[in-house]
Amino acid sequence: MQFSENSRVWVYQSDKKLADEVVQQIQQRLNSFTAEWTAHNNQLKAKAEIRYNRFFILIVDETQAGASGCSIDKSVNFMKRLEQEFNISLFDRFNLAYRDAGEVLSLPRHGFEELLKQGTINTNTIVYNNLVQNLTELETKWEVPFKDSWHIQLFRDLVS
């Protein structure tokens, strides 16, 4: 299936890296969910993927049918069920992910601040902007250097 570059995207980040077997289980559930996902009884052209055993990405191509408030609520409720079933946190916006030596790690805000102060995380460290809105932004603005992300505003006092 081809998806428009303007397809809507929602990124949910797990607070921990998941084992491959768990990722397979969750991917099966995501596939079932997106296959049945509707908005006002219209089938959504949707898919889901998991990246780095940590990020759950829902994609809806709205050229076929648009995601409505009710359909978005369905996806949020589905993600909350995944949280409970797999004992993970997907809604903590201050669990910040970054790349270190090729591995994707995450920390709560205070831990991230500490690594900034120590210089372990710097303006060139790759961070993950889970606020991307569409497929184009996912490919171009999701994995970016700290200096090019919204993170720089939040931590401007700690960066020289």
Side-chain angles (χ1 to χ4, degrees), residues 2-159:
Q2 285 291 95
F3 278 71
S4 159
E5 60 192 19
N6 296 318
S7 296
R8 283 182 74 181
V9 168
W10 292 269
V11 179
Y12 295 88
Q13 176 186 309
S14 172
D15 59 332
K16 57 190 169 199
K17 183 178 180 180
L18 303 170
D20 290 341
E21 315 81 67
V22 173
V23 168
Q24 289 173 347
Q25 291 174 29
I26 293 173
Q27 185 66 60
Q28 288 173 347
R29 284 175 178 74
L30 287 167
N31 292 346
S32 297
F33 173 77
T34 56
E36 298 171 10
W37 198 8
T38 59
H40 302 297
N41 295 322
N42 293 312
Q43 179 65 44
L44 292 175
K45 182 179 178 182
K47 67 179 179 177
E49 56 187 68
I50 300 174
R51 294 189 185 179
Y52 305 117
N53 289 33
R54 182 182 291 271
F55 300 97
F56 303 179
I57 303 169
L58 294 178
I59 303 167
V60 174
D61 187 334
E62 295 187 304
T63 58
Q64 182 172 306
S68 64
C70 290
S71 64
I72 294 168
D73 287 349
K74 286 179 197 172
S75 68
V76 169
N77 289 330
F78 174 75
M79 290 298 180
K80 286 181 177 177
R81 286 194 304 275
L82 287 180
E83 271 189 323
Q84 291 175 341
E85 185 177 347
F86 292 96
N87 194 29
I88 54 177
S89 174
L90 297 173
F91 290 90
D92 181 357
R93 296 291 180 213
F94 285 106
N95 180 32
L96 304 170
Y98 65 100
R99 193 179 304 147
D100 183 24
E103 182 151 2
V104 178
L105 305 170
S106 70
L107 290 167
R109 179 180 174 162
H110 62 15
F112 194 88
E113 281 180 21
E114 203 50 49
L115 291 185
L116 262 173
K117 289 175 188 171
Q118 295 169 10
T120 304
I121 294 175
N122 61 51
T123 56
N124 293 314
T125 299
I126 299 299
V127 294
Y128 293 84
N129 172 15
N130 297 328
L131 303 176
V132 293
Q133 301 287 308
N134 60 48
L135 213 43
T136 298
E137 287 183 4
L138 180 67
E139 299 309 325
T140 61
K141 296 180 180 174
W142 179 54
E143 295 180 80
V144 294
F146 179 87
K147 65 180 181 258
D148 298 331
S149 174
W150 62 266
H151 298 71
I152 195 83
Q153 263 86 42
L154 188 62
F155 299 107
R156 111 175 27 100
D157 298 343
L158 301 175
V159 180

